[in-house]
């Protein structure tokens, strides 16, 4: 386990947190490694164009097997290399006059001029190339202005762990990356996901705890200036989601009992609604009781895998720069990258990470992900988030609540600690203003 530097978030300040949004570049932070593409999806005969960070990249296979990434604007007269062809192994040729480049951007030939062209090898004729690195089948790209940072600082730890099985899925969300990334550890979790398949499988006690989390939440910490996270014991949402009937059945004699008392506690009266109850009915609760019995039976006959912490480095158990959100479910790790594409476009890459102890388990994990988990988690559950954030305003002055502490801490982390912000303060200007700290909404 690492020994992270932790520090509490700033408590007071001079600027309303809504104003911090304008200090975060809508086109994304540039001084970071990002997932570019699943390497297996890059064909041999032609390049593909991948949009990210408000620009585009031409992606093709290099002769050494690594994936190449070039600025699509041809240095000759600006045609798009993404429309070109890969006539020769490890190269891409521009569709206009046939300038042919390798993955480092070196001009190797000018097919339109013939072999006597004096241009190949000239440094002034090079295409702009971006550093890439492929890990466990995912190609990452560095598009920063500065020298590439150590990739281990930006890419989750399992990519460097031989025993980890990392499976991918991808979706496109029609919203800015800043909106997508703030969809975390606030009061939306039970409310938005109450009808998700995942929540229909929650045991009664977890369901009850989710409903009654209340308005006060723990304060997240900044870790190594690259992440914000709760300690597991302080992270009510993640802790509850990672618990299971198997963990609770022995310690909670009410499970899977008739739950009469629990049912009374499930619904609460709201004074502003003339004492009416929410949730409106007990149906979901009764369903949970049923599922608890089923899941408990599965657990007892060994059909459910043993649980235990998968993430031991707390830097990787929350929100991490540049755009990574992680939850340790204790059977697997859920990761969501919100990769900036354009003003209203975010490419969401999901990771499902497990640590199978045997080849048999590895095969079962692959089948489980493809037949069930990918749909259940990434499209059923996360699709509910997508529907909300795609229609969310990000420009009005917000009336914030204490339960918004985590997303607000994320804003502050970017403005104060991101490499882009630090470069800005050191002279190269992306942010125009100096760093600020937050002022609570009720102090305005
Ligand atoms: S514009 Fe690319 S070769 Fe001429
Ligand atoms: Fe959500």
């Amino acid at each position: 386990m690492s020994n992270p530097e932790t520090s509490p978030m700033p408590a007071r300040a001079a600027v309303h947190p809504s104003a911090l949004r304008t200090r975060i570049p809508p086109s994304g932070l540039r001084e970071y490694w990002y997932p570019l593409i699943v390497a297996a999806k890059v064909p041999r005969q032609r390049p593909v164009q991948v949009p990210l960070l408000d620009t585009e990249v031409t992606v093709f296979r290099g002769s050494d097997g690594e994936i190449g990434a070039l600025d699509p604007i041809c240095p000759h007269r600006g045609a798009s290399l993404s429309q070109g062809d890969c006539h020769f192994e490890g190269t891409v040729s521009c569709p206009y006059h046939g300038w042919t480049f390798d993955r480092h951007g070196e001009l190797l030939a000018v097919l339109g001029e013939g072999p006597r062209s004096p241009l190949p090898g000239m440094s002034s004729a090079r295409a702009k190339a971006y550093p890439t690195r492929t890990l466990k089948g995912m190609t990452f790209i560095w598009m920063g202005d500065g020298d590439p940072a150590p990739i281990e600082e930006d890419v989750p730890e399992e990519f460097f762990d031989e025993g980890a099985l990392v499976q991918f899925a991808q979706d496109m969300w029609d919203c800015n990356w800043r909106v997508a990334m703030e969809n975390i550890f606030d009061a939306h979790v039970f409310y938005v996901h109450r009808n998700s398949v995942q929540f229909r499988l929650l045991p009664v006690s977890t369901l009850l705890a989710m409903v009654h989390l209340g308005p006060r939440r723990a304060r997240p910490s900044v870790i190594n200036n690259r992440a914000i996270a709760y300690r597991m014991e302080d992270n009510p949402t993640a802790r509850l989601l990672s618990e299971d009937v198997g963990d609770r059945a022995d310690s909670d004699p009410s499970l899977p009992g008739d739950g009469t008392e629990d049912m009374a506690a499930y619904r609460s009266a709201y004074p502003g609604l003339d004492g009416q109850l929410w949730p409106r009915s007990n149906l979901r609760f009764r369903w949970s009781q049923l599922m608890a019995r089923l899941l408990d039976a599965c657990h007892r006959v060994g059909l459910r895998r043993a649980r235990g912490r998968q993430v031991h480095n707390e830097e990787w158990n929350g929100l991490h720069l540049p755009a990574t959100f992680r939850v340790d479910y204790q059977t697997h790790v859920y990761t969501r990258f919100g990769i900036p594409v354009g003003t209203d476009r975010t490419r969401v890459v999901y990771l499902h990470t497990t640590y199978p102890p045997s080849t048999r388990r590895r095969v079962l994990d692959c089948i489980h992900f493809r037949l069930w988990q990918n749909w259940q988690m990434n499209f059923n559950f996360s699709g509910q988030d997508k529907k909300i954030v795609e229609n969310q305003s990000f420009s009005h002055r917000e009336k914030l609540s204490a339960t918004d502490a985590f997303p607000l801490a994320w804003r502050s982390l970017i403005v104060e600690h991101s490499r882009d912000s630090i470069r800005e303060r050191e002279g190269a200007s992306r942010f125009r203003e100096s760093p600020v700290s937050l002022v609570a909404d009720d102090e305005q």
Side-chain angles (χ1 to χ4, degrees):
M1 179 167 167
S2 68
N3 183 22
E5 291 174 26
T6 62
S7 55
M9 295 301 300
R12 295 182 60 83
V15 171
H16 189 280
S18 291
L20 287 186
R21 295 173 300 186
T22 63
R23 312 272 299 274
I24 302 171
S27 58
L29 302 169
R30 290 195 79 93
E31 306 300 318
Y32 288 89
W33 290 92
Y34 283 94
L36 174 66
I37 194 167
V38 175
K41 296 202 184 273
V42 181
R44 297 201 171 275
Q45 290 77 24
R46 58 184 175 78
V48 289
Q49 178 154 298
V50 178
L52 83 163
L53 301 185
D54 217 14
T55 183
E56 265 124 19
V57 178
T58 299
V59 177
F60 63 105
R61 291 190 170 275
S63 57
D64 56 359
E66 182 54 274
I67 300 299
L70 301 181
D71 183 332
I73 299 174
C74 177
H76 179 214
R77 281 167 53 197
S80 173
L81 298 180
S82 299
Q83 290 182 297
D85 289 289
C86 300
H87 299 298
F88 307 97
E89 186 184 342
T91 69
V92 62
S93 298
C94 178
Y96 204 173
H97 311 96
W99 287 32
T100 299
F101 304 93
D102 67 12
R103 79 173 183 88
H104 304 290
E106 183 88 17
L107 180 64
L108 303 177
V110 178
L111 303 182
E113 289 185 7
R116 292 196 301 281
S117 170
L119 293 165
M122 283 187 183
S123 59
S124 57
R126 293 173 66 92
K128 179 175 174 52
Y130 297 104
T132 57
R133 175 121 178 244
T134 300
L135 298 163
K136 291 190 179 284
M138 174 66 78
T139 301
F140 294 86
I141 185 170
W142 173 271
M143 297 177 72
D145 298 327
D147 291 335
I151 193 168
E152 293 82 1
E153 289 186 6
D154 300 350
V155 170
E157 54 191 0
E158 58 262 40
F159 282 94
F160 309 96
D161 183 336
E162 276 190 14
L165 171 64
V166 186
Q167 302 186 73
F168 314 114
Q170 183 174 302
D171 196 5
M172 199 64 92
W173 289 13
D174 291 332
C175 66
N176 190 260
W177 76 283
R178 299 170 300 175
V179 185
M181 290 307 298
E182 293 188 4
N183 168 245
I184 180 170
F185 293 154
D186 58 21
H188 88 273
V189 181
F190 174 75
Y191 189 72
V192 167
H193 299 296
R194 63 190 185 277
N195 291 323
S196 65
V197 170
Q198 182 182 143
F199 276 33
R200 303 252 169 138
L201 297 176
L202 287 179
V204 169
S205 49
T206 306
L207 190 70
L208 278 176
M210 294 289 294
V211 172
H212 296 299
L213 271 176
R216 292 284 157 195
R217 307 287 162 90
R219 203 174 260 275
S221 295
V222 177
I223 301 176
N224 296 334
N225 287 346
R226 295 191 288 264
I228 51 169
Y230 286 125
R231 291 204 166 75
M232 200 59 167
E233 56 273 21
D234 291 339
N235 183 352
T237 308
R239 179 166 46 78
L240 289 170
L241 287 176
S242 67
E243 285 178 352
D244 195 1
V245 65
D247 301 321
R248 289 172 162 260
D250 295 337
S251 59
D252 186 348
S254 70
L255 290 177
D258 70 0
T260 309
E261 287 177 21
D262 289 341
M263 189 144 67
Y266 174 59
R267 305 167 75 194
S268 301
Y270 285 73
L273 297 171
D274 298 329
Q276 293 187 81
L277 300 177
W278 173 263
R280 298 295 298 274
S281 84
N282 280 320
L283 273 180
R284 198 175 292 108
F285 183 85
R286 289 189 185 286
W287 175 262
S288 279
Q289 286 179 307
L290 205 63
M291 293 315 298
R293 290 193 179 90
L294 183 65
L295 293 175
D296 187 49
C298 290
H299 184 81
R300 290 186 194 285
V301 299
L303 281 179
R304 309 206 79 209
R305 67 187 310 174
R307 307 176 73 84
R309 288 284 289 272
Q310 310 289 301
V311 180
H312 298 282
N313 178 356
E314 60 181 324
E315 179 180 333
W316 286 106
N317 199 14
L319 274 174
H320 197 287
L321 292 170
T324 310
F325 160 38
R326 291 172 47 96
V327 177
D328 181 353
Y329 276 86
Q330 300 199 16
T331 48
H332 65 279
V333 186
Y334 168 80
T335 303
R336 184 198 289 175
F337 290 98
I339 303 167
V341 170
T343 310
D344 293 313
R345 207 98 166 114
T346 300
R347 185 159 55 93
V348 176
V349 171
Y350 300 105
L351 308 183
H352 176 75
T353 302
T354 54
Y355 296 87
S358 63
T359 306
R360 177 180 163 277
R361 188 70 237 186
R362 194 179 181 87
V363 171
L364 288 175
D365 282 359
C366 289
I367 294 170
H368 173 251
F369 178 73
R370 283 173 204 193
L371 295 186
W372 169 249
Q373 184 68 11
N374 185 31
W375 176 81
Q376 181 274 118
M377 187 72 222
N378 300 333
F379 293 94
N380 179 263
F381 187 89
S382 298
Q384 295 176 330
D385 294 316
K386 173 180 175 174
K387 259 190 232 162
I388 300 293
V389 298
E390 284 185 339
N391 295 286
Q392 182 183 346
S393 165
F394 202 62
S395 56
H396 79 295
R397 185 182 167 93
E398 302 152 303
K399 173 60 188 168
L400 296 158
S401 167
T403 53
D404 297 313
F406 206 96
L408 296 187
W410 172 244
R411 293 180 192 176
S412 186
L413 176 76
I414 294 172
V415 170
E416 299 197 13
H417 297 298
S418 69
R419 294 190 195 116
D420 295 51
S421 182
I422 291 167
R423 277 175 65 84
E424 182 75 13
R425 290 202 290 276
E426 288 173 350
S429 170
R430 190 175 298 276
F431 299 121
R432 275 189 223 99
E433 300 164 57
S434 59
V436 295
S437 47
L438 299 176
V439 63
D441 190 64
D442 54 12
E443 293 173 51
Q444 294 295 295

